[in-house]
Coordinates of all heavy atoms in Angstrom, one line a residue:
D57 N 78.6 150.4 236.3 CA 79.7 151.3 236.1 C 79.4 152.7 236.7 O 80.4 153.4 236.9 CB 80.2 151.4 234.7 CG 80.9 150.1 234.2 OD1 81.2 149.2 235.1 OD2 81.1 149.9 233.0
V58 N 78.2 153.0 236.8 CA 77.8 154.4 237.3 C 77.7 154.3 238.8 O 77.0 153.5 239.4 CB 76.5 154.9 236.7 CG1 76.1 156.2 237.3 CG2 76.6 155.0 235.2
L59 N 78.5 155.1 239.5 CA 78.6 155.1 241.0 C 77.9 156.3 241.6 O 77.5 156.2 242.8 CB 80.0 155.0 241.4 CG 80.8 153.8 240.9 CD1 82.3 153.9 241.4 CD2 80.2 152.5 241.3
M60 N 77.7 157.4 240.9 CA 77.0 158.6 241.4 C 76.5 159.4 240.3 O 77.1 159.4 239.2 CB 78.0 159.4 242.3 CG 77.3 160.7 242.9 SD 78.5 161.7 243.8 CE 78.5 160.9 245.3
T61 N 75.4 160.0 240.5 CA 74.9 160.9 239.4 C 74.8 162.3 240.0 O 74.8 162.5 241.2 CB 73.5 160.5 238.9 OG1 72.5 160.5 240.0 CG2 73.6 159.1 238.3
G62 N 74.6 163.3 239.1 CA 74.4 164.7 239.5 C 73.7 165.4 238.4 O 73.4 164.8 237.4
V63 N 73.5 166.7 238.6 CA 72.8 167.5 237.6 C 73.6 168.4 236.7 O 73.1 169.1 235.9 CB 71.6 168.3 238.2 CG1 70.6 167.3 238.9 CG2 72.2 169.2 239.3
A64 N 74.9 168.5 237.0 CA 75.8 169.4 236.2 C 77.2 169.0 236.3 O 77.7 168.4 237.2 CB 75.6 170.8 236.7
D65 N 78.0 169.3 235.2 CA 79.5 169.2 235.3 C 80.1 170.3 236.1 O 79.6 171.4 236.0 CB 80.1 169.2 233.9 CG 79.8 168.0 233.0 OD1 79.7 166.9 233.6 OD2 79.6 168.1 231.8
R66 N 81.1 170.1 236.8 CA 81.8 171.1 237.4 C 83.2 170.7 237.8 O 83.4 169.6 238.3 CB 81.2 171.5 238.7 CG 81.8 172.8 239.4 CD 81.0 173.1 240.6 NE 81.4 172.2 241.7 CZ 82.5 172.3 242.4 NH1 83.4 173.2 242.2 NH2 82.7 171.4 243.4
V67 N 84.2 171.4 237.4 CA 85.6 171.2 237.7 C 85.9 172.0 239.0 O 85.6 173.2 239.0 CB 86.6 171.5 236.6 CG1 88.0 171.4 237.1 CG2 86.3 170.7 235.4
E68 N 86.4 171.4 240.0 CA 86.7 172.1 241.3 C 87.9 173.0 241.1 O 89.0 172.5 240.9 CB 87.0 171.0 242.4 CG 87.4 171.7 243.7 CD 86.4 172.8 244.1 OE1 85.2 172.5 244.2 OE2 86.9 173.9 244.3
P69 N 87.7 174.3 241.1 CA 88.8 175.2 240.8 C 89.9 175.1 241.8 O 91.1 175.3 241.5 CB 88.1 176.6 240.9 CG 86.7 176.4 241.0 CD 86.4 175.0 241.3
A70 N 89.6 174.8 243.1 CA 90.7 174.7 244.1 C 91.7 173.6 243.7 O 92.9 173.8 244.0 CB 90.1 174.5 245.5
I71 N 91.2 172.5 243.2 CA 92.1 171.4 242.8 C 92.9 171.8 241.5 O 94.1 171.6 241.5 CB 91.3 170.1 242.6 CG1 90.7 169.7 243.9 CG2 92.3 169.1 242.0 CD1 89.8 168.5 243.8
S72 N 92.2 172.4 240.6 CA 92.9 172.7 239.3 C 93.9 173.8 239.5 O 95.0 173.8 238.9 CB 91.8 173.3 238.3 OG 90.9 172.2 238.0
K73 N 93.7 174.7 240.5 CA 94.7 175.8 240.8 C 96.0 175.2 241.3 O 97.1 175.6 241.0 CB 94.1 176.7 241.8 CG 94.9 177.9 242.1 CD 94.2 178.9 243.0 CE 94.7 178.8 244.4 NZ 94.1 179.7 245.3
H74 N 95.9 174.1 242.1 CA 97.1 173.6 242.8 C 97.7 172.4 241.9 O 98.8 172.0 242.1 CB 96.7 173.1 244.2 CG 96.4 174.2 245.1 ND1 97.3 175.1 245.6 CD2 95.2 174.6 245.6 CE1 96.7 176.0 246.3 NE2 95.4 175.7 246.4
N75 N 96.9 171.9 241.0 CA 97.3 170.8 240.2 C 96.8 171.0 238.7 O 95.8 170.4 238.4 CB 96.9 169.5 240.8 CG 97.4 168.3 240.0 OD1 98.1 168.4 239.0 ND2 96.9 167.1 240.3
P76 N 97.4 171.8 237.9 CA 96.9 172.2 236.6 C 96.6 171.0 235.7 O 95.7 171.0 234.9 CB 98.0 173.0 236.0 CG 98.8 173.5 237.1 CD 98.7 172.5 238.2
S77 N 97.3 169.9 235.9 CA 97.1 168.7 235.1 C 95.8 168.0 235.5 O 95.3 167.1 234.7 CB 98.3 167.7 235.1 OG 98.4 167.2 236.4
S78 N 95.3 168.3 236.7 CA 94.1 167.5 237.1 C 92.9 167.8 236.3 O 92.0 166.9 236.2 CB 93.8 167.9 238.6 OG 93.4 169.3 238.7
R79 N 92.8 168.9 235.6 CA 91.6 169.2 234.8 C 91.5 168.2 233.7 O 90.4 167.8 233.3 CB 91.7 170.6 234.2 CG 90.5 171.1 233.5 CD 90.6 172.5 233.0 NE 90.8 173.4 234.1 CZ 89.8 174.1 234.7 NH1 88.6 174.0 234.2 NH2 90.0 175.0 235.6
E80 N 92.7 167.8 233.1 CA 92.6 166.9 232.0 C 92.5 165.4 232.5 O 92.0 164.5 231.9 CB 93.9 167.0 231.1 CG 94.0 168.2 230.3 CD 94.4 169.5 231.2 OE1 95.2 169.3 232.1 OE2 93.9 170.6 230.9
A81 N 93.0 165.2 233.7 CA 93.0 163.9 234.3 C 91.7 163.4 234.9 O 91.4 162.3 235.0 CB 94.0 163.8 235.4
R82 N 90.8 164.4 235.2 CA 89.5 164.0 235.8 C 88.4 164.1 234.8 O 88.5 164.9 233.8 CB 89.2 165.0 236.9 CG 89.8 164.7 238.2 CD 89.2 165.5 239.3 NE 88.6 166.7 239.0 CZ 89.1 167.9 238.9 NH1 90.4 168.0 239.2 NH2 88.5 169.0 238.6
P83 N 87.4 163.3 234.9 CA 86.2 163.4 234.0 C 85.4 164.6 234.4 O 85.6 165.2 235.5 CB 85.4 162.1 234.3 CG 85.7 161.9 235.8 CD 87.2 162.3 236.0
G84 N 84.4 165.0 233.6 CA 83.3 165.9 234.0 C 82.6 165.1 235.2 O 82.5 163.9 235.1
W85 N 82.2 165.8 236.2 CA 81.6 165.0 237.3 C 80.4 165.8 237.8 O 80.2 166.9 237.5 CB 82.6 164.8 238.4 CG 83.3 166.0 239.0 CD1 83.0 167.3 238.7 CD2 84.3 166.0 240.0 NE1 83.8 168.1 239.4 CE2 84.6 167.3 240.2 CE3 85.0 165.0 240.7 CZ2 85.6 167.7 241.1 CZ3 85.9 165.4 241.6 CH2 86.2 166.7 241.8
A86 N 79.7 165.1 238.7 CA 78.5 165.7 239.2 C 78.9 166.8 240.2 O 79.8 166.6 241.0 CB 77.7 164.6 240.0
T87 N 78.2 167.9 240.1 CA 78.6 169.1 240.9 C 78.4 168.8 242.3 O 77.5 168.0 242.7 CB 77.7 170.3 240.4 OG1 78.0 171.4 241.3 CG2 76.3 170.0 240.5

Side-chain angles (χ1 to χ4, degrees):
D57 288 347
V58 176
L59 302 178
M60 180 184 278
T61 64
V63 297
D65 286 328
R66 187 179 74 80
V67 173
E68 176 50 57
I71 295 172
S72 296
K73 183 172 111 180
H74 295 288
N75 182 5
S77 66
S78 67
R79 187 176 299 261
E80 292 77 35
R82 280 195 333 269
W85 58 3
T87 178

